[in-house]
């Protein structure tokens, strides 16, 4: 497919600009362009066809099943986009005076209050732009808490090996040392190892729950007790809240701070690299350290406040405001019962698919899973020479997005499957049948699987080269 620059022909464009309705200002010469920008020039039908062709080459939730584990690629109701597109939300400037954006402040306050209720927290910020950014912010709160007490000895944060990879990365980014704690044979945190690791140098714990094996840690209350007894604080990676919202609350489990991925659970798709929101909630003991500014109720209206010992800004202005607006719409439209039903159906759908595939594939941890499950294709690779990569690529020819591959790292030849609550039983059956069919083919014709995909615009890519030497700019020659 040609790029728009290659389709461009000089003079073939239709500028349609709104009429000037403000006084004209001359751009100072030192700021004016010396040469016109190099933009493609195309006729309206050619532009329209160009984008339709691009759209046909992508795979989104609107095109088919997208079971990308740990990403919650569910269908997001279109009304949420419509609300986020309201001019009162989009045609504003972050430097506008507070009294002209009271509705926007109210939206932030109300979304924060609802998410506090859902998580069992006391304060919420929308500044972080992604999950990992939320982790960074949350651990800064823990750091500020210990510093405010003059406790400089707490330099370590405990991270179980079933945590998301961003958790240990966050620990180093915030200047702490990560202490790894292994999982036991059931896939949960090894309690003896946790007790041995916790002590006067423990600043806190970062726990991903459900963990990256798709399991809810049954010892969660004991885990937070061990950390609190040692004087540490507990961080809950709630990026996968889709499994528990409306059913269990991190605040009730003993956690002091949590981040949510609004761009997974709350109606903005994850995985496209688009704008995100890693909202961070905390208990009142950490609220005074929250990033500034924080929208709050004041008098009969709303205002921005700066928490007294704030860690400062973690991004310009207020975060990705429209992602918050979609989350607010989602929560209001489906309500508390709807959130709980969504979580229950997400768990039901994952267990249904896992059971349907259980004779043909090995689950890394058989038993009941939460919103996702992890397969290990290690046996299949040794028997038939077919890898997790081969199976994932074969799914592309069956009009499915592959699951998350080779993650979590503690499972060999891992495929991590998250169907989500928005898929029908027919779609789950279609997907399970595709997996079963691939399993049969692995015995009859493994070569065909190793050659997949055959129906996509490009076949197997040189992934190492693409990562090491990415071409990020068009060469105009
Ligand atoms: C997705 C995810 C993250 C990171 O979120 P980003 O928005 O991609 O930075 C962190 N933890 C868990 C458990 C996740 O699933």
């Amino acid at each position: 497919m040609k790029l728009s620059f290659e389709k461009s022909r000089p003079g073939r464009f239709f500028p349609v600009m709104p009429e000037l309705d403000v006084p004209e200002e001359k751009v100072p010469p030192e700021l004016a362009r010396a040469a016109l920008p190099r933009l493609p020039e195309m006729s309206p039908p050619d532009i329209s066809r160009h984008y339709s062709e691009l759209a046909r080459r992508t795979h989104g939730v609107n095109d088919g099943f997208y079971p990308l584990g740990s990403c919650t690629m569910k269908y997001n109701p279109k009304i949420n986009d419509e609300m986020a597109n309201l001019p009162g939300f989009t045609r504003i400037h972050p430097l506008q005076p507070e009294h002209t954006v009271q509705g926007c402040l109210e939206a932030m306050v109300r979304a924060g209050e609802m998410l506090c209720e859902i998580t069992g927290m006391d304060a919420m910020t929308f500044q972080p732009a992604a999950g990992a950014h939320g982790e960074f912010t949350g651990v800064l709160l823990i750091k500020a808490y210990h510093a405010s007490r003059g406790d400089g000895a707490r330099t370590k944060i405990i991270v179980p090996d079933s945590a998301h990879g961003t958790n240990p990365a966050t620990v180093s980014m915030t200047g702490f040392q990560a202490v790894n704690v292994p999982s036991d044979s059931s896939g949960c945190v090894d309690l003896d190892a946790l007790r041995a690791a916790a002590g006067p140098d423990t600043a806190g714990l970062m726990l991903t729950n459900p963990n990256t094996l798709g399991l809810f840690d049954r010892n969660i209350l004991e885990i937070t007790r061990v950390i609190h007894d040692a004087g540490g604080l507990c961080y809950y990676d709630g990026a996968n809240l889709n499994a528990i919202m409306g059913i269990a609350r991190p605040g009730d489990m003993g956690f002091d701070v949590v981040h949510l991925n609004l761009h997974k659970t709350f109606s903005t798709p994850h995985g496209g690299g688009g704008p995100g929101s890693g909202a961070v909630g905390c208990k009142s003991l950490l609220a005074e350290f929250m990033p500034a500014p924080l929208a709050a109720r004041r008098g009969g209206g709303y205002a921005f406040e700066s928490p007294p010992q704030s860690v400062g800004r973690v991004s310009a202005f207020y975060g990705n405001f429209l992602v918050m607006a979609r989350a607010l719409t989602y929560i209001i439209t489906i309500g508390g019962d709807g959130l709980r039903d969504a979580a229950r159906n997400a768990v039901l759908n994952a267990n249904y698919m896992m059971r349907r595939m259980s004779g043909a594939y090995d689950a890394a941890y058989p038993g009941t899973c939460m919103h996702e499950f992890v397969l290990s294709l290690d046996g299949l690779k040794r028997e038939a020479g077919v890898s997790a990569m081969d199976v994932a690529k074969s799914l592309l020819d069956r009009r499915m997005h592959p699951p998350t591959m080779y993650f979590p790292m503690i499972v060999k030849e891992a495929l991590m499957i998250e169907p989500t609550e928005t898929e029908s039983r027919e779609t789950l059956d279609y997907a399970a049948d595709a997996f079963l069919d691939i399993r049969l083919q692995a015995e009859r014709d493994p070569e065909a699987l190793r050659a997949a995909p055959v129906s996509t615009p490009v076949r197997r890519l040189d992934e190492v080269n693409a990562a090491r030497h990415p071409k990020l700019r068009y060469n105009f020659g």
Side-chain angles (χ1 to χ4, degrees):
M1 173 174 175
K2 279 190 175 165
L3 301 178
S4 57
F5 288 105
E6 293 161 340
K7 293 176 182 169
S8 174
R9 293 292 173 274
R12 197 176 290 171
F13 68 104
F14 286 76
V16 183
M17 303 288 269
E19 237 169 80
L20 188 66
D21 60 356
V22 291
E24 190 173 345
E25 282 287 336
K26 287 271 172 275
V27 179
E30 71 275 18
L31 297 179
R33 282 181 175 280
L36 287 177
R38 185 157 45 184
L39 296 174
E41 296 176 44
M42 292 167 76
S43 70
D46 288 343
I47 293 172
S48 173
R49 286 174 194 156
H50 180 74
Y51 282 103
S52 296
E53 191 178 352
L54 278 176
R56 275 195 299 277
R57 287 176 176 231
T58 62
H59 182 99
V61 170
N62 292 335
D63 303 297
F65 194 43
Y66 204 138
L68 193 64
S70 209
C71 288
T72 313
M73 299 300 291
K74 57 179 170 181
Y75 173 80
N76 296 299
K78 301 295 176 250
I79 176 102
N80 303 337
D81 275 312
E82 267 174 52
M83 293 303 109
N85 276 330
L86 289 176
F89 284 154
T90 56
R91 305 197 64 170
I92 51 171
H93 192 280
L95 293 177
Q96 254 174 261
E98 281 169 9
H99 74 269
T100 64
V101 282
Q102 284 291 300
C104 296
L105 285 164
E106 178 178 356
M108 291 174 92
V109 167
R110 288 185 57 188
E113 287 169 351
M114 288 175 195
L115 290 170
C116 279
E117 189 179 335
I118 292 166
T119 54
M121 294 289 149
D122 300 315
M124 188 74 53
T125 173
F126 296 104
Q127 263 193 39
H133 195 192
E135 293 174 32
F136 177 76
T137 308
V139 174
L140 282 189
L141 302 184
I142 293 179
K143 191 171 192 172
Y145 170 83
H146 292 306
S148 76
R149 296 156 53 93
D151 190 347
R154 299 188 179 274
T155 54
K156 295 182 178 161
I157 292 194
I158 297 172
V159 186
D161 66 0
S162 60
H164 195 263
T166 48
N167 295 181
T170 295
V171 171
S172 337
M173 285 288 287
T174 46
F176 287 105
Q177 200 186 322
V179 180
N180 181 54
V181 168
S183 306
D184 63 17
S185 57
S186 68
C188 296
V189 174
D190 182 327
L191 280 179
D192 290 334
L194 181 73
R195 288 195 193 96
D201 60 356
T202 302
L205 159 93
M206 286 190 88
L207 192 83
T208 301
N209 189 61
N211 65 24
T212 56
L213 300 166
L215 305 173
F216 189 104
D217 202 305
R218 69 189 74 237
N219 300 315
I220 199 118
L221 295 174
E222 181 60 19
I223 290 171
T224 54
R225 193 175 310 129
V226 168
I227 299 301
H228 282 153
D229 286 352
L233 295 180
C234 298
Y235 184 98
Y236 189 100
D237 180 334
N240 293 314
L241 207 79
N242 213 46
I244 67 155
M245 59 182 176
I247 297 169
R249 309 195 309 166
D252 300 337
M253 302 173 205
F255 287 87
D256 305 290
V257 49
V258 56
H259 88 265
L260 307 174
N261 278 29
L262 300 188
H263 53 288
K264 286 181 183 171
T265 315
F266 293 96
S267 211
T268 291
H270 183 70
S277 176
V280 169
C282 69
K283 286 280 179 68
S284 52
L285 88 164
L286 293 175
E288 60 187 298
F289 307 110
M290 276 291 225
L294 212 52
R297 291 178 192 274
R298 190 190 291 159
Y302 302 88
F304 282 120
E305 286 180 351
S306 188
Q309 302 205 60
S310 173
V311 294
R313 283 180 187 275
V314 294
S315 64
F317 304 113
Y318 321 112
N320 284 320
F321 179 81
L322 298 177
V323 179
M324 181 284 302
R326 275 197 281 273
L328 176 63
T329 312
Y330 180 65
I331 296 169
I332 290 175
T333 49
I334 76 170
D337 291 345
L339 291 176
R340 195 195 55 217
D341 286 348
R344 291 167 82 162
N345 284 324
V347 172
L348 178 66
N349 283 358
N351 279 282
Y352 176 73
M353 255 195 95
M354 182 167 76
R355 289 288 175 281
R356 277 227 44 204
M357 290 158 60
S358 64
Y361 291 92
D362 298 328
Y365 289 86
T368 309
C369 65
M370 296 299 289
H371 62 303
E372 64 192 1
F373 58 98
V374 179
L375 302 177
S376 172
L377 277 65
D378 196 35
L380 184 66
K381 189 174 181 191
R382 279 188 273 116
E383 283 162 32
V386 170
S387 66
M389 175 74 87
D390 298 330
V391 172
K393 296 293 182 192
S394 304
L395 291 168
L396 291 172
D397 289 330
R398 290 166 170 83
R399 301 198 315 283
M400 278 169 53
H401 193 284
T404 296
M405 306 185 289
Y406 298 98
F407 180 83
M409 265 132 55
I410 51 179
V411 174
K412 281 189 185 163
E413 291 296 318
L415 285 183
M416 181 195 235
I417 301 168
E418 180 181 6
T420 84
E421 75 278 12
T422 58
E423 298 300 339
S424 65
R425 182 164 177 180
E426 289 73 27
T427 303
L428 300 178
D429 282 334
Y430 173 85
D433 288 341
F435 272 99
L436 297 178
D437 185 51
I438 289 170
R439 182 68 185 81
L440 288 178
Q441 204 179 0
E443 265 143 44
R444 287 197 315 259
D445 188 8
E447 218 31 67
L449 297 181
R450 286 193 283 269
V454 296
S455 61
T456 47
V458 288
R459 304 280 298 274
R460 287 217 193 185
L461 301 171
D462 180 348
E463 300 195 8
V464 174
N465 209 16
R468 297 273 157 78
H469 307 287
K471 282 192 187 155
L472 302 175
R473 298 180 60 182
Y474 178 65
N475 185 0
F476 282 97

